[in-house]
Amino acid sequence: MLYREALNRAIDEMMEADESVVILGEDVGRYGGSYRVSEGLFAKYGAKRVIDTPIAELSIVGNAIGMAIAGLRPIAEIMTVNFSLLAMDQIVNHAAKFRYMSGGKMTIPLTIRMPGGVSRQLAAQHSESYETLYSAIPGLIVLAASNATYAYYGLKAAIAMNDPVIFLEHELLYPQEMEFKEQKAFDPFKAEVVKEGKDLTILTYLKMRYDVLEAVPTIEKELGISIEVIDLNSLRPLDMQTIAASVQKTKRVVMVEEDHKTGGYGAEVIARITEELFYTLDAPPLRIAGEDVPIAYNRKLELASIPTPEKIVSRIIAWGAKHGI
Amino acid sequence: MEYKITMPVLSDTMEKGKLIKWHVNEGQQVKKGDVIAEVESDKAIMEVQTFKDGVVKKLLVKEGDEVPVKSPIAIIETATAQAHAQQTPSQPKEESHPQSSTSSQTLPPELAAILPTKTKELKTQEQKETKASAVVKAVKGAASPAARVEAQKLGIDIEKLQAEQKLPKPAHLKDIKLEALKRYFTPKALELLQEYALDPSVFAHDHKIDADEVQAYIKSHNIPKTIPLSTNRLAVKSNVETAAKKPIYHVYETFTLNPPEDVKITAYLLKVIGDTMQNHPLTRAVLEDESYKIYPASNISVAVAKGDALYMVVCKNIESKNLKEIDTWVKEIKQRDYSPDDLQGSTFGLSNLGMFGIRAFDAMINKKDSGIAAFGKVDKNRVEAVFTFDHRILNGVDAAKFVSELKNNFAKGIDV
């Protein structure tokens, strides 16, 4: 199943089951969505439930919040996380806080979908990863879908939630064909142990999951160790239970993220691990992250500013040699 | 006020501790951080410190006594404890009071643990803190957090061992575990454990285990020794695996040789085969995609065993060398090292096991060679040879013509 098809199926099924579910955003209607996620929904549900909006992010989220207050269950699509900064006031000051400001009397059952990350040569203004911003806001739930299974079940769960959810996608994943695994019981807040191992835990999310999985066999061979790979899935709340179980077993942890290193999401994860699991660590945690630069347009420079499978291999091997692996 | 020092909890499994030695006497002045005793847990011997200044009022257990964990072992008379004592009983059963957790943090952990007014929840918190602070205080030296915890559990002095250069700096968990094993295993025994990939826990850790004891275990349990393939062996493995995929067949013949004296038999075989190859172009051929590359030179690869390596050293331009030159080449190949050039460029191979008294055998074709001749023991100038040919290069008829001319040439004499 294509990643974007999984998202489409999730939205379609939720709209079918509950007529309070509506979708709004730029080009989500007649055009079928910038990444074809809402394809076919306009024809099926009509202009009242699949709403094309002006190119004005603040109004998209503002309207969606109004709809949510009035009893609808809106899904707002922002074309990329880069543009969501325009809607920041509505997201942070209103969506995240309304439940608390009303003493719990009103909830905002809103899902804001947006793709982020480094695609191919979209340059600095279209290549950011802002999970670190949204994960720092109490009142928001932040989910990151790296695969078709989580895209489908995670998005359905997000739409069903009564609190505002930032649902992060990745631009390079939309056209990817992925394995879809039927889930009997699904917990959107649970991290996925993608591969089991006993000597090192690699934590990752979104597109980096695939770069990590590509790098792992070489690292395992070079260092003679076995590696556990965990896809975090839920960034806020963070599934510390799954992380702790793994780190207690492996005693070493590496965080791989596409986001910039300084103040990136991995900084929070590693801080939590250091605080809570310090005495189980046998090596200082390693962060492999994007460089602290706006992402360049030039393809070579673009690749130089984010982790690649080759960089993941060489950094972990160098780190391993230094810290007793 | 009295400050009670209790038997510390040194590991999760520890229920009782044995008092090994007192470092203080009753009436002695002590300072916070002073070591007052040594106790033995189920795993190691550890030092017990006082967390308060004061005077040792009473030692409650004798050296050699075993007492349950957390039971008092000594009473210290302190000046500062009085302030705390007044404060604490004044807050009875204030379970959810936000102040109670803050005030308890100012109490020494031992005191907090024995005070009756503390809630259960608070106690667990205090115990955790005791554990953590004990780790930081007791373990010095450069080590990972996990290594420090393990070192403390096992009573290993990282700082001392690092000063003696017996532990790497920083030390990791595996170094501490190895250090712990050294207590129970002699160095020879440890080597055996490693060689046979044995789990140390199959031996009871209650005495020093020597190599004989490990050896006896290996024998009685028929434990295999794992030897990873050397680079040389891996090369042989890869070469013969490639060779095994070739479509081959064999030709068998007995030759009557006529070797001159004072010349190595291998040199004589090389010269005769090399000269004969000149009349049989396909023995000088290499198959590439859908064409043959026929080389003018008679270059023969010779199987040379050196240690655990098997080399196919190439004797080049045999057709233009005399027997004496080839003999010199044969005599020196066992001694010298090979350059990449020594090991390439052949189109046919030779293997000789005659010196081991072997009557006949067949050999595997080296790399891209068209075939190989395997020679057994020469007995009254007669020798059996088995030829292996690559059927893609030489058909049966081509091979038969080559071997039959070879037979004639062997019977003829040869000039040295």
Side-chain angles (χ1 to χ4, degrees), chain B residues 252-260 265 268-269 272 375 377-385 387 403-414:
Chain B
Y252 306 85
E253 190 51 76
T254 306
F255 297 119
T256 305
L257 304 185
N258 199 351
I265 195 79
Y268 166 71
L269 295 175
V272 176
F375 278 78
K377 188 187 173 206
V378 181
D379 189 10
K380 292 173 193 151
N381 277 356
R382 287 182 67 80
V383 63
E384 284 186 37
F387 290 83
V403 174
S404 108
E405 189 186 330
L406 207 48
K407 194 170 181 178
N408 290 335
N409 289 347
F410 274 129
K412 272 192 243 162
I414 191 166

Side-chain angles (χ1 to χ4, degrees), chain B residues 48-311:
Chain B
V48 178
Q49 309 168 12
T50 168
F51 288 85
K52 286 272 155 197
D53 298 355
V55 176
V56 180
K57 189 176 177 191
K58 193 157 180 58
L59 301 179
L60 300 170
V61 294
K62 293 198 296 289
E63 287 185 352
D65 281 358
E66 263 194 36
V67 294
V69 295
K70 290 191 237 167
S71 58
I73 55 172
I75 299 169
I76 310 266
E77 181 74 44
T78 71
T80 47
Q82 213 150 6
H84 292 295
Q86 279 168 353
Q87 200 179 17
T88 322
S90 70
Q91 309 173 338
K93 290 181 183 168
E94 274 183 298
E95 295 188 12
S96 59
H97 195 286
Q99 289 298 310
S100 58
S101 76
T102 354
S103 70
S104 75
Q105 275 165 6
T106 62
L107 293 176
E110 277 76 3
L111 194 58
I114 54 166
L115 284 171
T117 51
K118 290 292 146 198
T119 67
K120 204 172 178 189
E121 196 192 349
L122 276 177
K123 269 190 199 166
T124 21
Q125 202 182 341
E126 291 301 337
Q127 279 164 10
K128 270 186 199 160
E129 277 173 25
T130 315
K131 255 189 170 177
S133 57
V135 166
V136 176
K137 278 183 185 151
V139 184
K140 286 181 184 163
S144 78
R148 293 159 83 87
V149 172
E150 188 73 6
Q152 196 212 11
K153 213 158 63 174
L154 298 166
I156 287 172
D157 188 340
I158 295 177
E159 194 180 38
K160 187 168 156 244
L161 288 167
Q162 280 175 340
E164 294 166 5
Q165 297 193 329
K166 285 179 181 162
L167 263 184
K169 224 174 178 177
H172 292 90
L173 196 54
K174 60 168 193 244
D175 307 317
I176 303 298
K177 283 184 170 162
L178 181 65
E179 191 53 40
L181 284 180
K182 284 183 189 163
R183 293 176 177 179
Y184 296 107
F185 292 90
T186 63
K188 282 245 166 79
L190 269 182
E191 268 173 40
L192 278 175
L193 285 183
Q194 206 145 38
E195 266 177 42
Y196 287 83
L198 270 177
D199 179 359
S201 66
V202 300
F203 297 93
H205 289 189
D206 52 7
H207 61 291
K208 195 93 177 176
I209 298 148
D210 62 10
D212 289 345
E213 192 175 338
V214 179
Q215 200 63 261
Y217 182 90
I218 289 166
K219 273 205 172 147
S220 67
H221 290 76
N222 195 27
I223 309 279
K225 180 173 177 172
T226 305
I227 302 173
L229 290 188
S230 63
T231 324
N232 288 334
R233 286 282 176 196
L234 280 171
V236 172
K237 176 173 172 270
S238 145
N239 288 341
V240 297
E241 275 169 2
T242 315
K245 285 182 195 137
K246 285 180 189 160
I248 51 138
Y249 66 100
H250 300 300
V251 170
Y252 306 85
E253 190 51 76
T254 306
F255 297 119
T256 305
L257 304 185
N258 199 351
E261 301 210 342
D262 304 331
V263 167
K264 282 263 189 191
I265 195 79
T266 304
Y268 166 71
L269 295 175
L270 277 172
K271 179 63 185 160
V272 176
I273 297 170
D275 284 350
T276 311
M277 280 166 73
Q278 285 298 307
N279 298 332
H280 298 270
L282 287 176
T283 61
R284 289 179 274 116
V286 167
L287 183 65
E288 250 168 44
D289 296 327
E290 296 194 345
S291 63
Y292 295 124
K293 304 267 180 228
I294 298 179
Y295 291 91
S298 291
N299 292 354
I300 298 179
S301 56
V302 184
V304 179
K306 249 176 136 183
D308 65 351
L310 173 63
Y311 296 101

Side-chain angles (χ1 to χ4, degrees), chain A residues 6-27:
Chain A
L7 295 164
N8 180 278
R9 217 179 103 188
I11 298 171
D12 191 6
E13 286 175 20
M14 292 306 279
M15 288 185 84
E16 179 127 27
D18 178 354
E19 60 179 28
S20 69
V21 177
V22 300
I23 167 166
L24 71 161
E26 293 161 36
D27 287 334

